[in-house]
Amino acid sequence: MTQESDHGRMAATQGSRIDAYVDRYAARATGMVASEIRALFAVASRPEVVSLAGGMPYVTALPLDVVGELVSDLVARRGPVALQYGSGQGDPHLREQICEVMRLEGIDAGPDDVVVTVGSQQALDLITRIFIDPGDVVLAEGPSYVGALGTFSAYQAKVVHVAMDNEGIVPESLAQTIYALKAAGSRIKFLYTVPTFQNPAGVTLSVARRRQVLEICQRAGVLIIEDNPYGLLGFDGEPMRALRADNADGVVYLGSFSKTLAPGFRVGWALAPHAIREKLVLAMESAVLSHSSFTQLAVGQYLATQPWREQIKTFRELYRERRDALLDALEALMPAECTWTRPKGGFFVWASLPEGLDSKAILPRAVAERVAFVPGTGFFTDGGGARHMRLSYCYPEPERIREGVRRLARVIEQEMQLRDTFGTGYAPDHGGVDTPGPDIA
Ligand code: PMP
């Protein structure tokens, strides 16, 4: 051991940020860096801060006493099964129930093609693990879900963003990007998309574009990873038809109970064409042997005995009220130069700041004014997003949302005054926000 690394290790044990192992990590670990949201979480969760940052479902709206009884009943009646190892693919009965849930989005699939995963986040990890060699290309919306970008980076994928607007991915941009990448000899492994109530933009791929995206990818031989945790949380009308409903061979569908029930169960799934499903099960077994039998059976019991469709309706109404509170407050209070999306479901609004403002630079001041958001740059891998921010409305009460927007609007107005006084690129330095904490996305 060198003197330098000895010193580094001592420093590490004394709480310093020097990492004594930095020259020993695998190359892929260099891509593992804390997301913008992670750095924010500890600050944003202080009670005096209105957090429009994290995407935490409002689990308080669940009948917690009923869930409690269900869990204790499960241990009493089926303890020896619930507390035992399970299969790598997941509980067969739960997989059947998952097929019933997916039918609400037009998907006709059998339980044999479903793999239960530790949230859809693990499904993302497993898919990336089985498809990506370092340098392979993943296409993703710009902006894209920060947790997926973290996974792609951990496997050394090269993410290429595809333009999106208020109707989701722009098909022309998708076709052109695929064409250019192929001409340059790049290996495109898949398109990762959140077509419905996207995280972070809140937009939904239109019906016409769904057809076009499917067609373009099918023609180009590009697999689609459809990540759809918010699909049943629409505020008007029936759920959108999933991409997977119209192409069983070219789409891997990822689902989750995190937003329709609770993320604490950590139950999600992948629905995949048969060959991919087999690889997923092997990857799952090497990762965790088997998912928790306990939480799978608890979710299964919940679906079998509780009015889960009604509960989803309750969530939808609650989130609709919060969405309205956020949009009304933005309309009433934000400076005229700001714009934002108008989500029809899900958790997020994507806001654009006036020319010359930088959301990351503004964040420390916003936190000092007791409001938090996520700066847009975390949702891009190419440096985009500086003038944007993600605002989530899922967790705070409507009155808190209004107060949060009041504070945010004040900060933005002050920043605009600075910009007008000192010109664009005034790069205000309000200090850093770098308190580490658990990641939430
Ligand atoms: N995909 C998207 C688009 C998400 O927003 C999230 C959670 N925020 C996930 C996947 C992961 O969710 P989970 O692992 O809890 O199912």
Side-chain angles (χ1 to χ4, degrees):
M1 187 176 287
T2 64
Q3 245 184 330
E4 230 177 70
S5 57
D6 263 333
H7 171 76
R9 182 173 288 180
M10 271 169 56
T13 56
Q14 287 161 15
S16 157
R17 289 174 185 227
I18 295 169
D19 183 347
Y21 296 94
V22 73
D23 54 355
R24 281 177 260 178
Y25 293 126
R28 78 184 76 87
T30 57
M32 297 177 186
V33 289
S35 75
E36 316 248 343
I37 300 178
R38 181 188 184 94
L40 250 178
F41 184 55
V43 183
S45 59
R46 286 190 211 135
E48 70 275 18
V49 176
V50 175
S51 179
L52 304 173
M56 290 191 298
Y58 194 72
V59 290
T60 313
L62 285 167
L64 294 176
D65 49 346
V66 172
V67 176
E69 276 166 31
L70 187 145
V71 166
S72 90
D73 181 60
L74 173 65
V75 176
R77 283 193 311 107
R78 301 188 61 200
V81 180
L83 302 178
Q84 190 51 272
Y85 287 115
S87 92
Q89 189 172 353
D91 178 64
H93 185 234
L94 177 62
R95 286 188 279 116
E96 276 174 26
Q97 293 169 305
I98 285 171
C99 292
E100 194 187 327
V101 173
M102 290 191 293
R103 261 195 286 282
L104 297 176
E105 294 168 341
I107 295 174
D108 179 19
D112 195 39
D113 291 331
V114 174
V115 184
V116 183
T117 54
V118 182
S120 53
Q121 189 68 34
Q122 191 198 21
L124 263 170
D125 183 276
L126 299 179
I127 282 288
T128 312
R129 187 184 304 198
I130 66 176
F131 276 105
I132 297 296
D133 286 316
D136 285 348
V137 170
V138 170
L139 301 171
E141 288 131 353
S144 185
Y145 166 50
V146 65
L149 296 182
T151 301
F152 302 149
S153 159
Y155 287 98
Q156 299 166 281
K158 177 174 161 34
V159 173
V160 176
H161 289 292
V162 178
M164 73 188 296
D165 60 19
N166 283 335
E167 288 182 46
I169 289 182
V170 179
E172 294 74 21
S173 167
L174 176 64
Q176 279 160 16
T177 307
I178 293 175
Y179 180 82
L181 285 165
K182 287 200 164 182
S186 296
R187 293 199 307 172
I188 305 172
K189 286 299 175 70
F190 53 76
L191 164 69
Y192 167 73
T193 175
V194 184
T196 308
F197 316 134
Q198 202 237 16
N199 179 2
V203 302
T204 295
L205 188 64
S206 66
V207 172
R209 285 195 183 177
R210 277 173 197 247
R211 260 196 312 274
Q212 287 173 287
V213 167
L214 281 169
E215 236 174 72
I216 291 167
C217 287
Q218 194 162 21
R219 235 182 302 126
V222 171
L223 177 69
I224 297 176
I225 310 299
E226 175 180 29
D227 186 9
N228 193 30
Y230 305 100
L232 297 181
L233 294 179
F235 304 142
D236 347 274
E238 292 301 302
M240 290 289 285
R241 192 171 167 82
L243 292 170
R244 166 58 178 74
D246 293 312
N247 186 344
D249 298 326
V251 180
V252 175
Y253 175 99
L254 311 185
S256 176
F257 289 109
S258 288
K259 278 82 188 184
T260 50
L261 174 53
F265 285 116
R266 306 306 300 127
V267 175
W269 68 91
L271 168 67
H274 195 75
I276 298 177
R277 193 277 281 158
E278 284 187 343
K279 288 276 185 223
L280 281 175
V281 173
L282 295 172
M284 179 73 188
E285 285 168 354
S286 89
V288 295
L289 292 184
S290 72
H291 192 328
S292 156
S293 306
F294 179 65
T295 65
Q296 287 184 78
L297 293 189
V299 171
Q301 194 66 10
Y302 171 81
L303 294 171
T305 63
Q306 301 304 311
W308 57 272
R309 290 178 185 79
E310 286 305 305
Q311 180 59 42
I312 292 176
K313 197 161 160 243
T314 303
F315 277 133
R316 279 202 303 259
E317 278 161 12
L318 185 128
Y319 295 134
R320 186 205 283 119
E321 191 192 353
R322 291 172 188 206
R323 186 268 322 251
D324 289 346
L326 180 58
L327 292 183
D328 291 350
L330 289 170
E331 196 66 51
L333 299 165
M334 287 295 248
E337 289 176 54
C338 294
T339 59
W340 52 88
T341 57
R342 289 171 174 74
K344 294 192 163 71
F347 288 2
F348 307 108
V349 164
W350 184 246
S352 306
L353 292 170
E355 187 87 39
L357 266 59
D358 178 331
S359 61
K360 204 165 172 180
I362 291 175
L363 180 61
R365 166 111 93 202
V367 171
E369 294 289 332
R370 294 164 295 125
V371 59
F373 58 83
V374 186
T377 44
F379 305 99
F380 288 86
T381 57
D382 59 6
R387 261 182 64 195
H388 302 271
M389 56 175 67
R390 189 189 77 178
L391 302 174
S392 63
Y393 50 81
C394 48
Y395 200 74
E397 308 272 344
E399 193 39 55
R400 296 274 292 165
I401 291 175
R402 282 187 276 274
E403 179 53 32
V405 174
R406 211 168 286 134
R407 294 173 189 175
L408 182 61
R410 238 185 351 248
V411 172
I412 293 173
E413 270 158 17
Q414 285 162 0
E415 296 294 322
M416 288 169 69
Q417 279 166 12
L418 281 173
R419 177 200 63 183
D420 294 343
T421 309
F422 299 110
T424 54
Y426 63 95
D429 180 7
H430 302 305
V433 178
D434 66 350
T435 316
D439 211 331
I440 49 160

